[in-house]
């Protein structure tokens, strides 16, 4: 079964697909970097929209299940800078 997490950032919504909820936080962060070009160290990922964020702070080895992230959940990405937004919109 596919495990899907949606990610909203200033440029839109992205789909992150994993084999299961046993995927690690580091795997999620790597996919976020791949689709948004925001480096893992600069990512601020929240369970709530960014006007009232609930940032997730955890160890890279924790699983999505352990963090309470469920199939279909939406996470919100902060940490974009003018440079990453420009790079993301470049062809």
């Amino acid at each position: 079964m596919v495990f899907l997490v949606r990610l909203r950032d200033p440029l839109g919504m992205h789909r992150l697909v994993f084999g299961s909820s046993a995927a690690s936080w580091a795997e999620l962060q790597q996919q976020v970097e791949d689709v948004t070009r925001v480096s893992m160290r600069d990512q601020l990922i929240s369970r709530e929209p960014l006007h009232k964020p609930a940032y997730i702070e955890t160890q890279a080895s924790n699983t999505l299940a352990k963090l309470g992230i469920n199939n279909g959940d939406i996470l919100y990405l902060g940490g974009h800078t003018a440079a990453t937004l420009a790079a993301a919109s470049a062809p």
Side-chain angles (χ1 to χ4, degrees):
M1 181 176 125
V2 172
F3 188 85
L4 173 73
V5 176
R6 294 171 290 167
L7 179 77
R8 172 152 315 270
D9 75 353
L11 299 174
M13 185 77 77
H14 308 278
R15 295 168 51 111
L16 309 177
V17 179
F18 304 93
S20 75
S21 62
S24 70
W25 180 250
E27 291 174 74
L28 181 139
Q29 286 190 294
Q30 184 59 57
Q31 278 199 42
V32 169
E33 184 173 333
D34 293 344
V35 299
T36 66
R37 299 182 184 158
V38 176
S39 71
M40 291 171 70
R41 66 181 164 76
D42 292 332
Q43 294 172 12
L44 297 171
I45 299 174
S46 173
R47 295 180 187 276
E48 301 296 330
L50 298 179
H51 65 274
K52 191 173 180 182
Y55 293 117
I56 301 170
E57 295 183 29
T58 188
Q59 297 178 348
S61 61
N62 282 343
T63 66
L64 302 181
K66 183 174 181 179
L67 294 170
I69 298 172
N70 298 306
N71 188 38
D73 279 0
I74 300 175
L75 299 177
Y76 301 86
L77 177 65
H80 274 286
T81 64
T84 59
L85 290 172
S89 61

